[in-house]
């Protein structure tokens, strides 16, 4: 029931409310960033499509990935006056993606320096969380269904408003719980995949259903790779642990993995996308700014010949 209610609410929100939100808040939200002084958000061409190496099990053709592209990217326009006019209208009615351009950072240290320029408090929060024993890593959603349920029902309201999950979500709505210890699986396509990352605290004896896991999941993030874009979706922390910097720790771990790991799953990711400038309140926008995100216009490149 919770998933059906959420689906109906999101369909209305995306098709009707978000264009109005873009008109009402877009320019004002962008004004607090450096790009406002140089003509607005920079533009980056993205390449979300399938390519020759994707293979038959590639996940790009799934509807969710296509919806993300349609929601956050605008199509390239020609040079003619009419095309330019249509482009301006499309941008005014479109959300302003909040993203990180990884091409700007040759190392994780370079990214840390950029974050420090935005806020002197973010990096100390990450170090504090690590000292408290929190650890961020990939996991199987089936192995921590009950912990995810606890996270999602830990607060009645969050930055984006009331949380329907608080009243309606059941553990079985999250995923099918594992009946034995489970680990994350390697995706079949390196360019189109979904992975879960979480923040854990050691807790001997902690269980998920009948399965002993000896650690508690206190924050999580669902990552969706769409070509050279990595989309943060379903990002949430338990209300009792948010004050310990767990979300900063999780974000930092993912960025370091993308920049430094050299894994095929991370290679080729240029843009890290986390919603839009118009989403949520000023508190969420401030968090994104301090985490290194900035307004960027995503331009959909033509699909390649395969």
């Amino acid at each position: 029931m919770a998933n059906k209610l959420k689906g109906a609410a999101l369909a209305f929100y995306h098709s009707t409310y978000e264009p109005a939100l873009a008109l009402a808040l877009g320019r004002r939200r962008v004004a607090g960033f450096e790009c406002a002084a140089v003509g607005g958000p920079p533009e980056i061409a993205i390449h979300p499509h399938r390519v020759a190496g994707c293979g038959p099990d590639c996940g790009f053709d799934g509807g969710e990935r296509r919806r993300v592209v349609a929601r956050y990217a605008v199509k390239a326009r020609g040079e003619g006056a009419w095309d330019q006019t249509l482009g301006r209208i499309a941008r005014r009615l479109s959300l302003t993606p909040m993203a990180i351009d990884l091409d700007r950072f040759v190392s994780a240290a370079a990214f840390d320096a950029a974050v420090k320029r935005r806020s002197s408090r973010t990096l100390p929060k990450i170090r504090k969380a690590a000292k408290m024993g929190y650890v961020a890593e990939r996991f199987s959603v089936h192995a921590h269904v009950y912990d995810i349920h606890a996270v999602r029902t830990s607060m009645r309201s969050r930055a984006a408003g009331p949380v329907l999950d608080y009243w309606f979500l059941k553990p079985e709505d999250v995923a099918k719980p594992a009946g034995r210890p489970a680990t994350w699986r390697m995706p079949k396509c390196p360019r189109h995949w979904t992975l879960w990352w979480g923040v854990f605290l050691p807790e001997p004896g902690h269980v998920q259903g009948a399965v002993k896991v000896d650690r508690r999941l206190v924050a999580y993030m669902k990552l969706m790779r769409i070509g050279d874009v990595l989309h943060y979706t379903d990002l949430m922390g338990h209300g009792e642990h948010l004050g310990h910097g767990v979300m900063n720790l999780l974000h930092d771990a993912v960025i370091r993995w993308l920049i430094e790991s050299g894994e095929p799953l991370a290679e080729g990711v240029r843009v890290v996308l986390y919603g839009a400038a118009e989403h949520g309140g000023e508190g969420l926008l401030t968090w994104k700014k301090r985490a290194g995100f900035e307004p960027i216009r995503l331009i959909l490149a033509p699909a390649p010949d395969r």
Side-chain angles (χ1 to χ4, degrees), residues 39-110:
E43 295 185 350
I44 296 178
I46 62 169
H47 303 79
H49 315 284
R50 288 180 57 138
V51 297
C54 285
D57 295 318
C58 170
F60 175 67
D61 291 331
E64 188 175 6
R65 286 177 174 80
R66 291 186 179 274
R67 285 193 294 270
V68 170
V69 173
R71 187 181 181 195
Y72 292 106
V74 296
K75 294 181 179 179
R77 298 287 178 177
E79 298 298 327
W82 180 242
D83 283 330
Q84 292 298 305
T85 299
L86 290 177
R88 286 192 293 271
I89 294 173
R91 285 191 290 272
R92 288 289 287 125
L93 292 173
S94 299
L95 296 172
T96 310
M98 291 296 290
I100 297 171
D101 180 5
L102 293 180
D103 278 6
R104 293 178 51 203
F105 307 106
V106 297
S107 65

Side-chain angles (χ1 to χ4, degrees), residues 39-285:
E43 295 185 350
I44 296 178
I46 62 169
H47 303 79
H49 315 284
R50 288 180 57 138
V51 297
C54 285
D57 295 318
C58 170
F60 175 67
D61 291 331
E64 188 175 6
R65 286 177 174 80
R66 291 186 179 274
R67 285 193 294 270
V68 170
V69 173
R71 187 181 181 195
Y72 292 106
V74 296
K75 294 181 179 179
R77 298 287 178 177
E79 298 298 327
W82 180 242
D83 283 330
Q84 292 298 305
T85 299
L86 290 177
R88 286 192 293 271
I89 294 173
R91 285 191 290 272
R92 288 289 287 125
L93 292 173
S94 299
L95 296 172
T96 310
M98 291 296 290
I100 297 171
D101 180 5
L102 293 180
D103 278 6
R104 293 178 51 203
F105 307 106
V106 297
S107 65
F111 179 75
D112 286 346
V115 169
K116 189 175 182 179
R117 287 194 294 271
R118 295 274 183 90
S119 172
S120 61
R121 294 183 291 177
T122 300
L123 297 180
K125 287 181 179 179
I126 295 169
R127 291 191 290 268
K128 179 182 177 181
K131 288 181 180 179
M132 293 178 68
Y134 292 102
V135 176
E137 61 186 42
R138 285 168 280 192
F139 73 99
S140 166
V141 64
H142 302 285
H144 289 275
V145 166
Y146 299 98
D147 281 344
I148 292 175
H149 178 264
V151 169
R152 289 171 63 170
T153 58
S154 65
M155 298 176 67
R156 295 185 181 185
S157 179
R158 293 184 183 264
V163 180
L164 292 177
D165 287 348
Y166 181 85
W167 288 277
F168 299 110
L169 188 72
K170 304 298 181 184
E172 57 267 24
D173 295 326
V174 175
K176 182 179 179 180
R180 57 185 179 181
T183 59
W184 68 278
R185 295 182 178 181
M186 181 67 68
K188 295 179 179 179
C189 176
R191 283 181 52 85
H192 301 93
W193 46 253
T194 298
L195 287 175
W196 294 75
W197 278 68
V199 176
F200 297 89
L201 264 181
E203 186 175 322
H206 184 59
V207 298
Q208 295 292 279
V211 182
K212 186 178 179 182
V213 294
D214 290 327
R215 61 179 187 170
R216 183 181 295 273
L217 177 76
V218 300
Y220 70 89
M221 181 192 302
K222 182 181 177 183
L223 301 180
M224 181 186 297
R225 179 170 180 178
I226 315 169
D228 56 0
V229 176
L230 184 69
H231 181 218
Y232 282 12
T233 179
D234 202 7
L235 172 65
M236 197 170 292
H238 196 288
E240 295 180 1
H241 298 267
L242 289 177
H244 299 161
V246 293
M247 305 314 296
N248 298 98
L249 178 71
L250 181 56
H251 169 59
D252 180 72
V254 171
I255 295 297
R256 288 181 181 279
W257 173 66
L258 291 170
I259 294 175
E260 296 185 332
S261 73
E263 290 186 26
L265 294 180
E267 288 182 355
V269 173
R270 177 177 179 180
V271 174
V272 179
L273 169 66
Y274 180 20
E278 296 85 355
H279 286 158
E282 293 294 335
L284 179 59
L285 187 66

